[in-house]
């Protein structure tokens, strides 16, 4: 009897493009509730993505990308990430990310900004740190 594949379909879609489509044995990503690791036949789940690193484990190794918010739909044989932004490491301008990190840190340290600006600064800092961590 043939052994059943442990792989499942993965799609990462942004408004601009189909960022990734393929088969994986595991995918790891960050949701608003914490880090998640998904294997084939995971219980169905929909969750909100937080800025973080997505790690796709394929037969030939791992691929890592930065994802900055969106939604994840997990089905038994397919995981779909609908992301606002998804970037491979070679698509990231690390000097620009470092400058964004510095700007966000300065805004956070200067707490005279309004609450909404503080939330935006914290989100900008998190996005910059995610990008830098792929370096």
């Amino acid at each position: 009897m043939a052994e059943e594949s442990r792989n499942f379909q993965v799609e990462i879609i942004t408004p601009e493009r189909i960022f990734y489509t393929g088969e994986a044995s595991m995918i790891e990503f960050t949701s608003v509730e914490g880090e998640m690791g998904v294997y084939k036949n995971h219980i169905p789940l929909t969750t909100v993505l937080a800025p973080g690193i997505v790690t796709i484990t394929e037969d030939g190794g791992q691929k890592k990308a930065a994802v900055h918010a969106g939604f994840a739909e997990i089905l038994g044989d397919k995981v779909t990430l609908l992301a606002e932004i998804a970037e491979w490491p070679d698509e990231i301008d690390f000097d620009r990310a470092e400058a964004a990190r510095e700007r966000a840190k300065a805004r956070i340290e200067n707490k005279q900004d309004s609450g909404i600006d503080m939330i935006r600064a914290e989100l900008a800092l998190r996005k910059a740190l995610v990008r830098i961590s792929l370096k």
Side-chain angles (χ1 to χ4, degrees), residues 85-133:
I85 301 169
E87 303 166 300
W88 297 114
D90 63 351
E91 297 174 333
I92 296 171
D93 180 339
F94 291 102
D95 291 334
R96 186 173 175 213
E98 185 62 41
R101 182 182 72 85
E102 291 300 323
R103 280 192 311 273
K105 275 181 59 177
R107 285 188 188 121
I108 290 168
E109 290 169 0
N110 181 12
K111 296 184 180 188
Q112 297 171 355
D113 292 336
S114 71
I116 293 174
D117 289 340
M118 189 60 61
I119 291 169
R120 287 180 58 203
E122 289 170 354
L123 183 59
L125 178 60
R126 185 152 183 202
K127 286 180 177 182
L129 290 173
V130 165
R131 287 178 171 126
I132 291 167
S133 71

Side-chain angles (χ1 to χ4, degrees), residues 51-72:
I53 303 298
V54 172
T55 303
I56 304 164
T57 303
E58 301 175 317
D59 289 339
Q62 291 186 332
K63 291 184 177 181
K64 293 184 183 268
V67 172
H68 306 288
F71 297 94

